[in-house]
Amino acid sequence: MNDPKIVYLSLGSNLGDSLNHLQSGLFEIEKRIGGIERISPVYRSSAWGFEADDFLNICLSLQTNLSPQTLLESLLKIEVDLGRVRFQEEGYESRTLDIDILYYGNEAFFTETLIIPHPELPFRKFVLKPLADIAPQFYHPVLNKDSRNLLQECKDKGRLEKTVYRLFKNRTELFAHTNFIAIEGNIGAGKTTLAKKIAEDFNAKMVLERFADNPFLPKFYEDQNRYAFPLEMSFLADRYQQFTEDTTQYDLFKSFMVSDYDIYKSLIFAKITLQKDEFELYRKLFNLMYKEVKKPRIYVYLYQTTERLLENIKKRGRDYEQNIEPDYLDKINQGYFDFIKSYPEQNNLVIELGDLDFVERQKDYETIIDQILKFAVRLPY
């Protein structure tokens, strides 16, 4: 086996969801090529050598045991697997993902298909700037100049600007970037199950709603008019105390937090269950509390049809839930959507579950994780 080499790569994209194309490329490089060590900020640049939409560009360093030729073949395979199609043999074209080998240790390498260091490196500001961010003192083995000197001497006048985005070498790091995710949904949508799976798979602290111990809940389903107000007040007091405690106490051994509820659900349910005068009193108290609680960086709402919700409720077999009316579930769904529309500044992600079964089918679970991560990568750093 070859000794590990420090390799520098350049990645660019200007087709489709360029930011997520780059992020997917990083995930695959980490899995197939070797451990990523450093990733530059994301830069936006004008197309180089042809007329096209702007590119997003990054550079990275990694360690790999692959030979230069095997490395090239593996990177080309990643490009194809992530949607790259080459329409012509020569010249420049737009692309979903382009990966170039800049340096392979301090070696110079020359074949018909591969030249290292990359021959265009000294002329491309959109490569030299991110490279200088992660390897300012790395010397070009042929020109004997470091990245900063090459950047200073570069004559490229193309537009280049640093973006607010950051990319990550694996999914666990990207989840950690979110800091706090709330998974919400109607009764029976599966929010607790999903929150638990995410916490287990990506090292998160769980903040789970305690609702089964509420003595008013079974009574509420039997006589809503009588028990609605004490139920909602009890929920609010419990949620506020628990939510405040759990979200302010960080676990040093966990990367982020994930909850199966957001305290705003208290107002959503109260609006449905309470009489008008009761709700107005309730809302005054709620608004005072809501100002003080921690808000999630991503608010995920799992939308499921009423028919599927009723199936799920029946399947999990809680006695006090079996008489829930479809109309009640419809009102809850509408209440959540009204909330999401009322807070457009919040990072809201609605996931339509449809026929997805993330409990029984790993592929469906991965589909949901992929949606969350594609949303999360767009959070400013």
Side-chain angles (χ1 to χ4, degrees):
M1 179 179 293
N2 297 325
D3 293 332
K5 294 287 186 180
I6 298 293
V7 172
Y8 291 91
L9 304 178
S10 171
L11 282 71
S13 173
N14 78 326
L15 274 181
D17 188 350
S18 293
L19 190 65
N20 270 298
H21 291 325
L22 294 178
Q23 182 60 81
S24 296
L26 289 177
F27 288 163
E28 294 304 313
I29 288 170
E30 172 80 6
K31 285 192 294 186
R32 305 190 202 184
I33 307 299
I36 294 175
E37 295 187 338
R38 300 195 68 187
I39 303 170
S40 76
V42 180
Y43 286 86
R44 184 181 302 279
S45 66
S46 53
W48 194 86
F50 70 119
E51 294 294 326
D53 293 336
D54 287 350
F55 274 79
L56 293 183
N57 302 97
I58 60 168
C59 286
L60 64 88
S61 63
L62 60 86
Q63 282 201 32
T64 185
N65 290 309
L66 300 181
S67 68
Q69 192 63 42
T70 304
L71 173 62
L72 174 64
E73 293 168 0
S74 298
L75 293 175
L76 292 174
K77 181 67 163 56
I78 290 174
E79 289 181 352
V80 172
D81 289 347
L82 295 180
R84 174 76 181 269
V85 177
R86 285 179 167 81
F87 296 101
Q88 57 191 45
E89 293 298 325
E90 297 181 359
Y92 299 104
E93 60 193 16
S94 295
R95 62 216 72 174
T96 53
L97 182 63
D98 183 49
I99 309 174
D100 288 326
I101 303 171
L102 304 178
Y103 295 126
Y104 184 86
N106 293 307
E107 297 183 17
F109 190 83
F110 182 86
T111 69
E112 290 185 359
T113 57
L114 179 61
I115 301 175
I116 303 175
H118 196 288
E120 300 294 335
L121 174 60
F123 313 110
R124 295 179 174 180
K125 184 170 63 175
F126 64 87
V127 175
L128 288 170
K129 182 62 177 77
L131 181 62
D133 288 337
I134 62 172
Q137 296 179 304
F138 188 90
Y139 274 77
H140 192 293
V142 177
L143 301 178
N144 199 30
K145 296 178 180 180
D146 67 18
S147 302
R148 293 175 301 183
N149 289 331
L150 290 174
L151 178 60
Q152 290 172 354
E153 296 176 1
C154 182
K155 304 301 183 183
D156 182 5
K157 301 300 182 183
R159 178 170 44 84
L160 183 69
E161 59 188 32
K162 189 176 180 179
T163 74
V164 297
Y165 304 116
R166 175 188 172 188
L167 298 179
F168 304 85
K169 64 183 181 181
N170 55 50
R171 299 194 301 176
T172 298
E173 281 197 357
L174 178 47
F175 263 116
H177 168 61
T178 66
N179 187 39
F180 177 30
I181 299 176
I183 309 292
E184 265 289 13
N186 210 326
I187 301 169
K191 50 190 176 293
T192 302
T193 301
L194 181 60
K196 288 180 177 179
K197 288 175 71 66
I198 289 175
E200 181 178 350
D201 291 346
F202 300 101
N203 189 40
K205 174 185 175 180
M206 284 191 296
V207 178
L208 300 181
E209 181 183 11
R210 296 189 296 266
F211 65 91
D213 296 330
N214 193 311
F216 294 103
L217 190 56
K219 297 177 182 179
F220 167 76
Y221 286 126
E222 295 175 1
D223 189 345
Q224 294 190 15
N225 290 332
R226 180 178 179 183
Y227 290 103
F229 191 73
L231 172 72
E232 298 302 345
M233 289 300 296
S234 177
F235 268 139
L236 180 59
D238 289 344
R239 284 175 184 146
Y240 178 76
Q241 180 180 5
Q242 180 204 358
F243 198 81
T244 302
E245 291 175 353
D246 288 350
T247 58
T248 56
Q249 295 177 3
Y250 287 93
D251 188 331
L252 295 177
F253 299 99
K254 300 297 182 181
S255 302
F256 66 107
M257 291 188 295
V258 59
S259 71
D260 69 343
Y261 75 107
D262 178 74
I263 197 171
Y264 200 93
K265 75 180 300 177
S266 298
L267 196 64
I268 293 172
F269 279 78
K271 187 174 183 180
I272 297 170
T273 59
L274 298 181
Q275 301 296 322
K276 184 176 180 180
D277 55 344
E278 292 178 331
F279 178 69
E280 292 304 320
L281 175 61
Y282 180 95
R283 183 166 60 179
K284 290 180 180 179
L285 179 59
F286 173 85
N287 287 340
L288 292 174
M289 293 181 171
Y290 190 63
K291 292 178 182 178
E292 305 299 324
V293 299
K294 185 177 180 65
K295 310 302 189 295
R297 194 143 189 244
I298 299 180
Y299 183 95
V300 178
Y301 183 67
L302 303 178
Y303 172 74
Q304 185 54 277
T305 63
T306 300
E307 292 75 15
R308 284 291 299 274
L309 292 172
L310 289 170
E311 291 176 10
N312 294 343
I313 291 170
K314 183 177 181 180
K315 187 183 301 183
R316 71 184 183 186
R318 295 172 182 167
D319 291 339
Y320 56 83
E321 292 181 342
Q322 299 309 306
N323 294 323
I324 294 178
E325 295 292 332
D327 181 62
Y328 180 63
L329 296 177
D330 289 339
K331 290 179 180 178
I332 293 174
N333 262 340
Q334 188 58 52
Y336 274 109
F337 280 117
D338 289 343
F339 162 64
I340 290 170
K341 292 176 183 177
S342 300
Y343 287 84
E345 72 281 0
Q346 184 171 258
N347 295 311
N348 300 310
L349 172 61
V350 178
I351 297 179
E352 295 195 23
L353 295 176
D355 293 328
L356 294 177
D357 186 345
F358 58 84
V359 178
E360 299 296 333
R361 295 195 290 267
Q362 180 67 20
K363 182 179 179 181
D364 290 351
Y365 171 64
E366 293 294 336
T367 296
I368 291 174
I369 294 299
D370 186 57
Q371 289 189 53
I372 295 174
L373 291 179
K374 284 183 175 179
F375 188 84
V377 80
R378 296 197 170 277
L379 296 177
Y381 178 62

